[in-house]
Amino acid sequence: MISSIDLNGAWHLRFDDGERGGPVSRMFAADADLRCALPAMVPGEVHLDLMNAGLLAEPNEGLNVLGARWVEETRWHYRRAFEAPALAAGQRAVLRFGGLDLAAVIYLNGREVGRHANAFYPCVCDVTSVLVEGVNVLVVEIESGLQHVGDKPSDGYGIGRAVRLHKRHWLRKTQSEAAWDWSPRLLNVGIHGDVSLEIWGPVRVDQFAVLTDLTPDLSEAWVTGRVAVDAPAGTDHQVRVEVEMPELNVSASRETRLQGGQARLQARLDVFEPELWWPIGQGEQRRYAVRTSVYVDDELVASDERLVGFRRVVVNQDEDPEGGRFFTLEVNGRRIFAKGGNFVPADLIPARLDRERYATLVDRAIESNFNFLRIWGGGLYEHDDFYDICDERGILVWQEFIFACGKYPANDEAFLADIKREAVYQIRRLARHPSLVVWCGNNEMEWGNWGWGYEQGVSYPDYALFHLVLPRLLADEDGTRYYQPSSPYSPDLQDPNADLVGDQHPWSVGFADTDFRKYREMACRFPNEGGILGPTALPTLRACLPAGAERHGSFAWEQHDNSVAYWGPNSYPDEMIKQWVGKDPTALSLEEYCYWAGLVQGEGLREYIENFHRRMPHTSSAIFWMYNDVWPAVRSWTTVDYYLRRTPAFWSVRRAMAPVATVVAIDGSTLHVYGVNETAEPIEADLRFGIMGLDGGRIVDRTRSVDLEPLCSTRIATVQLADWLFGDPDQDGSMAFAQLSVGGELVSRSRLLMPYFKDIRWPQPGLTVKVEDGFAVFESDTFVWGVCLDLNGETPLADNFFDVWPGIAYRLPWTADEPPQVLFTGNLV
């Protein structure tokens, strides 16, 4: 078996700014002067070590991120001494670094043994000839990448104003570290993966992978255990790969003669009538343990055990009778309406992400009625924990290779070779996860090729990467998953963001145009990114603003704001608040801003989701930008903020994404009520619908029993628009409404207001609240908009930011003796 020495834990750390700190050679000696060295933890990151030493303030707070920029400009020297045994004849020693961010030179006993400049795959250095028996000194010189790409070209890559500083298109690390509208610049640096010395025999195992697939009738599955191995030239060994599933008592093996060099070996076994893995809401997330073992000349040298799930995923792009093509995820033959958000790195310093944080984020997604997360192409290949949790919980994952919003120098031979190594490693690592259903080449770069002037400057340097190199690697290394070159993307050489084919990023609303009523007319096939800006939870908002800066427009506010607010002559999101509720955000208290801006954002996201939800199966998703935050913000796209608090918009999104729902919408001269049923079974329900005056009057009020067909949206009622206009010609004092009950329990409500909220004839809210039989009961004779019980976002309430309809009690589970306190209501009177 492999012998491994764990080199994680305590290291020494020194800096070198070119004048002070000294050259890396000062760290080589066994008796090196370490009086000025800092303690460092591996795995870790330099910013974290400096914070632990009291030399750097938390970058998330106040203006500290600006004061941390010297770290990324500096070279850092990690040092550790360790003892190693003498190598036996035929043994090989390698140093393995699970993650280096970014440009590193590795020295052992004063000799350079390797270089590495990619944070997305491990660095492996053969040290057989350098390792000594007894004490060895390991030194890693590392920097953020700024110096590594200092002589690389920057202009012509479509990156942005700061490209000459960071040249992120050359840096194989998290792209958002170079700053995005929702992220400040904080280029990480350090050893962020496990470090070990591995002692092998003549054959070394580099990586394990497990692949699964199912026949179309779901009756037979196969499991392939695959290993990448290498051996010195001139050697000759019998290598056997064995794959087994202990629970099912089945195994298979395959032997190969390895005569030096690198090889990919595998064994496959068949499984009949397996229990299936399903997305959440559709069935169980059944998983099986698979063990892959490698024997060299009949001696076991390495073994790996992982959980897998059996499911068959197809992206159906058949012709749609309503025009264009479907773009529908089908899992185990069942149509899935994908609901969720875009997932971005959950910390400015990814090295401090842990399983607990990932689990909370996935659980918040499930609380929001998600079944899908898109891993955006400017972020991370996430940690194994993330995918394991998605496997366990049933969340589908769309994974992008880490390229976004620019052009990349894939016409550079060395850069392309490095990308190939990165892609192969990640494809193999993630292949076993049933939650991973789509690979995508990049974010929005095809769109850029078509409409953003990417033919100018450096013309299309990466086109072959996404259309040739990556799909060929995927076909060779996996072959079981759908791949597309970019998002958005349309087949048949159409506009990448065309509505009726492929996936879409419907950004015609959300920036300069914030009239989100226009979502009602969008008929996209797979909306994959689009959103509305709004506030984070109130405590998060306050945490961004140090003493003296607790106001809209302070310097600290601007640092923690979304930069979209500064794209135009006037702030787009500020103007949106004026446009919709007639309030000037700069004149509001923080509490008032949090409420009103959150209320408006929630309304916008509700319109986005409900519109696409009601169009299933012709529309097959409602995925918004974005789900989570990378750092504390005063304004963001998100529904769960950096501190894992629910933002004010969280509640509207959760209601809109309910798996059984009703939606009211206008098509032409008719008001339609839709019944959405994402489940695989028909549902009998009771519907109440019509036109309601906000003052409590009824223009149309009807009830009926309805049948909701499975896996689709069904028109279940209609009202002539003329009836509404006759009762309220300006539609400024009434709303269309529908509520759906199953088994006597309310499951969904929908209402349609036509004017901007500031132009509605609002009645005085006559709200009363009482506690009755374990429920808080809200009642009013008039319509009450946006009842807010909490702005902190930490309490898992049954609902928040909800409406109370005239004459219809709204009941929430409530365990306290006293009724909840209402903080705000939205009636603009």
Side-chain angles (χ1 to χ4, degrees):
M1 287 286 288
I2 175 181
S3 173
S4 180
I5 298 175
D6 184 354
L7 299 180
N8 289 341
W11 288 52
H12 288 97
L13 180 68
R14 288 281 285 150
F15 84 112
D16 173 13
D17 68 357
E19 290 292 337
R20 291 167 179 81
V24 66
S25 57
R26 291 188 63 189
M27 304 286 275
F28 291 166
D31 59 350
D33 183 357
L34 300 176
R35 288 174 299 169
C36 294
L38 303 174
M41 289 301 297
V42 172
E45 198 271 348
V46 171
H47 292 88
L48 300 180
D49 294 323
L50 294 173
M51 282 187 272
N52 288 335
L55 299 176
L56 192 72
E58 168 60 60
N60 284 318
E61 297 173 0
L63 301 175
N64 295 338
V65 72
L66 301 178
R69 287 186 173 174
W70 65 275
V71 179
E72 66 198 41
E73 301 168 359
T74 303
R75 290 185 183 274
W76 297 91
H77 305 150
Y78 282 86
R79 182 189 188 276
R80 168 155 185 172
F82 65 92
E83 291 197 4
L87 296 180
Q91 285 188 321
R92 304 158 63 200
V94 299
L95 284 168
R96 183 180 182 88
F97 296 85
L100 293 170
D101 195 355
L102 180 71
V105 184
I106 299 97
Y107 302 89
L108 183 63
N109 299 326
R111 291 176 57 184
E112 181 181 325
V113 294
R115 290 175 177 251
H116 194 77
N118 191 313
F120 296 139
Y121 70 89
C123 172
V124 178
C125 308
D126 191 314
V127 295
T128 305
S129 63
V130 183
L131 190 74
V132 299
E133 182 181 5
V135 177
N136 292 258
V137 176
L138 175 60
V139 175
V140 178
E141 181 179 40
I142 194 165
E143 55 94 12
S144 68
L146 289 180
Q147 299 177 53
H148 177 67
V149 298
D151 61 347
K152 299 293 187 182
S154 58
D155 293 347
Y157 286 90
I159 300 293
R161 298 195 305 274
V163 64
R164 293 184 182 182
L165 173 66
H166 55 68
K167 300 181 183 180
R168 69 166 173 85
H169 52 296
W170 289 98
L171 301 179
R172 295 313 301 151
K173 63 191 299 173
T174 301
Q175 296 291 279
S176 59
E177 288 179 13
W180 228 266
D181 62 284
W182 41 270
S183 175
R185 192 180 88 232
L186 190 79
L187 295 176
N188 284 206
V189 57
I191 303 174
H192 67 259
D194 294 326
V195 182
S196 61
L197 176 74
E198 299 176 353
I199 299 175
W200 293 88
V203 176
R204 184 181 72 89
V205 178
D206 184 64
Q207 190 176 10
F208 287 89
V210 182
L211 291 81
T212 65
D213 207 356
L214 274 170
T215 56
D217 66 1
L218 311 180
S219 65
E220 183 178 356
W222 55 90
V223 177
T224 301
R226 182 177 288 173
V227 294
V229 300
D230 65 69
T235 58
D236 188 351
H237 297 277
Q238 194 76 17
V239 181
R240 183 172 81 253
V241 176
E242 183 175 284
V243 57
E244 56 185 321
M245 298 179 66
E247 180 181 349
L248 301 181
N249 196 30
V250 293
S251 64
S253 64
R254 184 177 178 181
E255 291 195 0
T256 305
R257 202 80 195 167
L258 181 63
Q259 296 179 316
Q262 298 178 339
R264 190 183 70 185
L265 310 177
Q266 64 185 44
R268 172 181 145 171
L269 61 81
D270 296 330
V271 179
F272 298 96
E273 303 296 338
E275 296 180 51
L276 301 180
W277 183 95
W278 288 94
I280 188 169
Q282 301 296 327
E284 297 299 315
Q285 288 75 54
R286 180 66 162 95
R287 293 187 292 167
Y288 296 86
V290 174
R291 183 183 304 132
T292 306
S293 302
V294 181
Y295 295 82
V296 177
D297 300 329
D298 290 327
E299 180 183 351
L300 177 66
V301 298
S303 185
D304 181 78
E305 184 170 308
R306 302 297 171 113
L307 293 173
V308 303
F310 296 113
R311 83 289 179 273
R312 182 175 177 84
V313 180
V314 173
V315 177
N316 183 339
Q317 297 191 72
D318 293 343
E319 290 189 11
D320 186 324
E322 292 193 354
R325 299 175 182 268
F326 290 106
F327 191 99
T328 304
L329 288 170
E330 296 180 354
V331 180
N332 302 331
R334 185 179 300 172
R335 292 194 307 266
I336 304 296
F337 186 85
K339 305 176 299 180
N342 282 256
F343 196 92
V344 302
D347 203 293
L348 285 175
I349 305 173
R352 62 179 167 187
L353 291 172
D354 57 19
R355 187 178 184 89
E356 181 181 3
R357 186 168 182 84
Y358 279 127
T360 301
L361 282 164
V362 173
D363 287 343
R364 290 278 190 277
I366 292 170
E367 185 185 350
S368 306
N369 288 312
F370 287 14
N371 61 11
F372 183 99
L373 290 168
R374 173 185 175 231
I375 308 302
W376 169 76
L380 286 171
Y381 308 99
E382 298 290 346
H383 192 277
D384 288 337
D385 286 338
F386 170 81
Y387 303 97
D388 284 336
I389 293 164
C390 289
D391 291 347
E392 180 183 293
R393 311 283 209 273
I395 294 292
L396 301 175
V397 175
W398 170 301
Q399 176 70 55
E400 294 182 355
F401 290 95
I402 307 304
F403 304 92
C405 299
K407 293 177 280 184
Y408 289 79
N411 54 353
D412 180 275
E413 185 176 353
F415 185 88
L416 179 61
D418 196 47
I419 294 302
K420 289 180 180 179
R421 290 189 289 269
E422 169 190 321
V424 167
Y425 172 78
Q426 294 296 343
I427 293 166
R428 291 173 177 173
R429 179 176 76 96
L430 300 180
R432 72 176 179 87
H433 292 285
S435 58
L436 177 58
V437 293
V438 170
W439 274 106
C440 177
N442 66 68
N443 174 72
E444 296 188 341
M445 291 164 57
E446 188 86 359
W447 197 5
N449 287 337
W450 278 67
W452 298 358
Y454 277 13
E455 72 280 3
Q456 301 169 11
V458 182
S459 298
Y460 312 126
D462 48 29
Y463 195 80
L465 172 63
F466 303 113
H467 291 263
L468 178 65
V469 175
L470 291 178
R472 289 176 65 180
L473 289 176
L474 276 161
D476 183 49
E477 293 290 345
D478 188 342
T480 67
R481 288 173 170 87
Y482 172 81
Y483 167 83
Q484 67 180 38
S486 187
S487 176
Y489 181 75
S490 298
D492 307 326
L493 295 179
Q494 297 195 40
D495 182 329
N497 209 26
D499 283 343
L500 300 185
V501 289
D503 71 319
Q504 295 76 37
H505 292 194
W507 278 116
S508 59
V509 173
F511 294 130
D513 188 346
T514 51
D515 185 354
F516 44 73
R517 293 173 298 185
K518 294 178 181 177
Y519 285 139
R520 300 171 185 176
E521 307 301 321
M522 293 184 183
C524 303
R525 290 291 172 258
F526 197 90
N528 216 357
E529 179 184 317
I532 297 290
L533 281 164
T536 54
L538 183 59
T540 301
L541 195 158
R542 284 178 168 149
C544 298
L545 306 175
E550 305 103 319
R551 59 178 177 83
H552 187 293
S554 68
F555 189 67
W557 177 285
E558 183 172 351
Q559 292 305 309
H560 286 266
D561 201 357
N562 189 283
S563 72
V564 170
Y566 309 93
W567 285 8
N570 297 306
S571 168
Y572 297 155
D574 282 354
E575 291 300 308
M576 178 176 67
I577 307 307
K578 297 175 186 177
Q579 171 190 23
W580 278 98
V581 295
K583 293 183 180 290
D584 179 1
T586 65
L588 300 176
S589 68
L590 293 182
E591 292 85 351
E592 292 167 336
Y593 164 79
C594 189
Y595 173 73
W596 288 107
L599 185 61
V600 170
Q601 183 192 22
E603 291 285 349
L605 291 177
R606 177 189 61 79
E607 293 275 10
Y608 180 94
I609 297 162
E610 284 191 346
N611 171 67
F612 297 127
H613 215 180
R614 75 174 176 90
R615 295 178 185 273
M616 64 183 294
H618 306 285
T619 295
S620 296
S621 73
I623 300 156
F624 68 92
W625 183 263
M626 60 191 197
Y627 168 56
N628 64 304
D629 264 322
V630 71
W631 84 315
V634 295
R635 179 158 42 196
S636 188
W637 306 100
T638 57
T639 56
V640 173
D641 68 28
Y642 173 77
Y643 293 115
L644 307 179
R645 297 175 176 127
R646 304 160 184 84
T647 74
F650 174 93
W651 310 96
S652 293
V653 167
R654 183 173 76 167
R655 291 192 296 267
M657 288 195 174
V660 179
T662 186
V663 180
V664 182
I666 292 175
D667 284 330
S669 62
T670 307
L671 180 71
H672 294 287
V673 180
Y674 295 85
V676 175
N677 178 11
E678 297 173 17
T679 76
E681 301 297 330
I683 293 176
E684 296 179 355
D686 296 310
L687 176 69
R688 182 177 180 181
F689 67 101
I691 310 295
M692 179 187 299
L694 302 183
D695 61 2
R698 298 293 195 273
I699 299 171
V700 177
D701 192 355
R702 300 171 185 162
T703 59
R704 66 175 56 168
S705 298
V706 295
D707 295 321
L708 306 182
E709 295 300 316
L711 305 175
C712 69
S713 171
T714 307
R715 286 182 178 174
I716 53 178
T718 60
V719 176
Q720 292 304 309
L721 193 56
D723 293 341
W724 191 355
L725 296 174
F726 178 79
D728 182 10
D730 296 324
Q731 296 178 296
D732 62 355
S734 58
M735 67 178 191
F737 75 96
Q739 67 175 34
L740 195 68
S741 299
V742 176
E745 296 292 329
L746 178 68
V747 295
S748 176
R749 302 190 303 171
S750 178
R751 46 96 171 138
L752 184 65
L753 295 164
M754 298 304 292
Y756 290 122
F757 304 131
K758 67 181 181 181
D759 298 328
I760 289 174
R761 291 185 285 113
W762 291 100
Q764 289 286 342
L767 185 65
T768 63
V769 189
K770 62 183 178 182
V771 175
E772 181 178 271
D773 299 328
F775 289 87
V777 182
F778 300 80
E779 295 178 292
S780 177
D781 293 332
T782 59
F783 179 81
V784 184
W785 178 40
V787 177
C788 172
L789 306 181
D790 175 73
L791 288 172
N792 291 342
E794 297 170 351
T795 305
L797 299 171
D799 204 359
N800 195 15
F801 280 80
F802 54 85
D803 302 336
V804 177
W805 294 358
I808 303 176
Y810 191 63
R811 298 164 59 86
L812 298 181
W814 192 257
T815 57
D817 294 332
E818 296 298 319
Q821 179 185 1
V822 174
L823 304 180
F824 289 94
T825 60
N827 292 27
L828 294 163
V829 292

